[in-house]
Amino acid sequence: MSVFSRLYSGTGAFDVVGRRKAWYVTFGVLVLISVLSIAIRGFNLGIDFTGGSQIQLPAAGVNGTITTEQVEQVYRSAVGEDPATVQSAGVGDSATIIIRSESLEPAQLAALKDGLNAQLQPVGGEQVISDSAVSGTWGGEITRQALIALGVFLVLVTLFLALYFERSMAIAALVALVHDVVVTAGIYSLVGFEVTPSTVIGLLTILGFSLYDTVVVFDKVKENTRGLLQLTRRTYGEQANLAVNQTLMRSINTSLIAVLPVIGLMVVGVGLLGVGTLADLALVQLVGIIAGALSSLLLATPLLVDLKMRDPRFRKQAERVMARRARAAATRSGEAPESADLDTTDDEAVARELRRERALAAAASSPRRAQPQPGRPQGKRRRR
């Protein structure tokens, strides 16, 4: 059976839960690298957080289109240092160039505007070159509000999962959410993109996607494990692994559909329109969507299984499953089982479960018969 057939069948062909130690090590390494990058490299904070000056001028000049390289050269000669960022925004007649830098003195600002007007000659003269001072307190206020929103979100998520599902699922989902936030922030630190308010807002938007994917998987786990303690066909881990396989293709399709617009945002917004601020938002969403999908399937569910197996009831149920399988194997090989003190109701429960599964499969595969419409005769009438 090919990989795609195994994906679409959802019959438990991929042993996700059984390899949970490998997933724990992989995700642990990602979190460690992210934390080290945040602690050592830090973030490239924009002037919205640090404060500074912003200068904007049209990209259309008397002698042709003004490039960012020309603007950087003029800034360097007028101020004596490099600007923080020089970005182009817009297309056509509305195209502009935005300079962000440390706070400039009035004399430096006047020299810069004179140099830009004299050397680059933007259409409209010096009066079209605008400047503004950006306070770092605004970015700090955005960050504070974002942290408050994150805290409220986590509290509400915990209550929802604990009430709708159970405590173990709430803990596993929160661990996956924290992983997504840390890894996304760590990759942002490694890449070195400028952190703007759009970055903070984009970081909050990925939490909803990650939670959605986790809830879909956990809902299937809850369905598969209903009444499991009275059955001896599969263990909790095996039923959870079956749930992951059954929702795997759905998660992949959902992630691809969510990633495609983000890639379009990066290609069109950054590549064609030249809006550099869109790159910050697109990167954080791209990384967050991928991390959220992976953590929901490969981290949250295996962690849930480990938490559930701490319960003595599920451990005893797993022991009964293994004992029944050992007895069945000994019976097939002609050897007597080591112990015959197992309750025969186990086999009866398995038989009932198998009959129920066959009945559900038959009902799902058989076509529905058309319902008779009122007023229409059914069958052939006998001639008199």
Side-chain angles (χ1 to χ4, degrees):
M1 184 181 294
S2 64
V3 176
F4 291 102
S5 300
R6 293 162 64 189
L7 281 173
Y8 278 99
S9 62
T11 55
F14 296 96
D15 188 11
V16 176
V17 175
R19 300 176 180 175
R20 56 185 178 273
K21 291 184 178 180
W23 306 131
Y24 292 159
V25 172
T26 302
F27 287 113
V29 170
L30 288 176
V31 171
L32 180 61
I33 293 175
S34 300
V35 171
L36 290 177
S37 177
I38 295 173
I40 297 175
R41 290 174 56 89
F43 296 102
N44 180 21
L45 299 177
I47 63 172
D48 297 311
F49 296 94
T50 60
S53 299
Q54 177 173 298
I55 301 92
Q56 185 171 340
L57 70 153
V62 175
N63 299 322
T65 303
I66 302 173
T67 63
T68 56
E69 291 78 10
Q70 293 174 328
V71 173
E72 289 180 0
Q73 185 177 0
V74 173
Y75 183 96
R76 195 176 297 111
S77 60
V79 179
E81 58 185 20
D82 293 330
T85 60
V86 178
Q87 297 175 332
S88 60
V91 292
D93 297 336
S94 61
T96 59
I97 294 180
I98 303 172
I99 308 171
R100 293 185 176 91
S101 66
E102 302 292 335
S103 297
L104 299 177
E105 299 293 334
Q108 292 176 318
L109 190 59
L112 175 60
K113 295 175 71 173
D114 290 340
L116 292 173
N117 181 54
Q119 299 184 38
L120 303 181
Q121 297 181 358
V123 176
E126 187 173 351
Q127 59 268 21
V128 298
I129 304 176
S130 61
D131 65 275
S132 60
V134 180
S135 174
T137 57
W138 184 73
E141 182 67 18
I142 291 292
T143 304
R144 188 178 70 85
Q145 295 294 335
L147 292 176
I148 294 175
L150 177 61
V152 173
F153 177 81
L154 293 178
V155 171
L156 294 178
V157 165
T158 304
L159 293 176
F160 167 75
L161 293 176
L163 295 176
Y164 184 76
F165 292 113
E166 54 188 72
R167 184 179 62 180
S168 300
M169 290 185 176
I171 295 174
L174 285 179
V175 171
L177 281 176
V178 172
H179 162 270
D180 299 340
V181 173
V182 173
V183 170
T184 304
I187 293 179
Y188 219 86
S189 174
L190 285 171
V191 174
F193 272 30
E194 186 180 28
V195 178
T196 63
S198 299
T199 307
V200 180
I201 296 172
L203 187 64
L204 295 178
T205 60
I206 67 173
L207 299 180
F209 182 86
S210 175
L211 178 63
Y212 166 79
D213 224 10
T214 304
V215 168
V216 169
V217 179
F218 281 1
D219 190 64
K220 195 63 179 178
V221 173
K222 182 180 179 181
E223 177 184 343
N224 289 356
T225 57
R226 186 177 293 113
L228 183 68
L229 294 176
Q230 285 74 40
L231 302 174
T232 57
R233 188 184 178 196
R234 292 193 184 100
T235 64
Y236 188 92
E238 292 169 346
Q239 290 290 74
N241 186 76
L242 178 62
V244 172
N245 280 265
Q246 290 171 337
T247 57
L248 184 59
M249 201 63 219
R250 176 178 178 177
S251 299
I252 293 176
N253 291 334
T254 305
S255 302
L256 287 177
I257 293 174
V259 164
L260 288 177
V262 177
I263 295 177
L265 181 67
M266 296 185 69
V267 173
V268 177
V270 181
L272 299 180
L273 300 181
V275 183
T277 54
L278 293 179
D280 309 330
L281 181 62
L283 177 65
V284 70
Q285 288 186 337
L286 180 64
V287 176
I289 290 173
I290 296 175
L294 292 178
S295 65
S296 299
L297 295 170
L298 307 180
L299 178 61
T301 307
L303 182 60
L304 170 64
V305 173
D306 282 336
L307 293 175
K308 293 296 291 186
M309 293 311 294
R310 293 175 179 268
D311 191 336
R313 297 176 301 168
F314 289 95
R315 289 202 301 268
K316 291 180 180 179
Q317 189 268 344
E319 292 173 358
R320 287 165 43 214
V321 172
M322 296 299 108
R324 187 189 64 80
R325 292 176 182 174
R327 184 176 61 177
T331 302
R332 288 194 299 268
S333 62
E335 300 177 359
E338 297 181 359
S339 61
D341 57 349
L342 293 175
D343 191 355
T344 57
T345 57
D346 287 348
D347 296 331
E348 296 175 0
V350 172
R352 287 196 301 270
E353 184 181 2
L354 288 173
R355 288 195 297 270
R356 178 173 174 270
E357 289 184 357
R358 293 192 187 102
L360 292 176
S365 59
S366 60
R368 297 180 60 185
R369 299 183 61 182
Q371 297 295 330
Q373 298 182 4
R376 294 186 60 182
Q378 302 296 318
K380 296 182 178 179
R381 291 184 177 181
R382 179 182 296 180
R383 294 184 178 179
R384 295 182 179 180

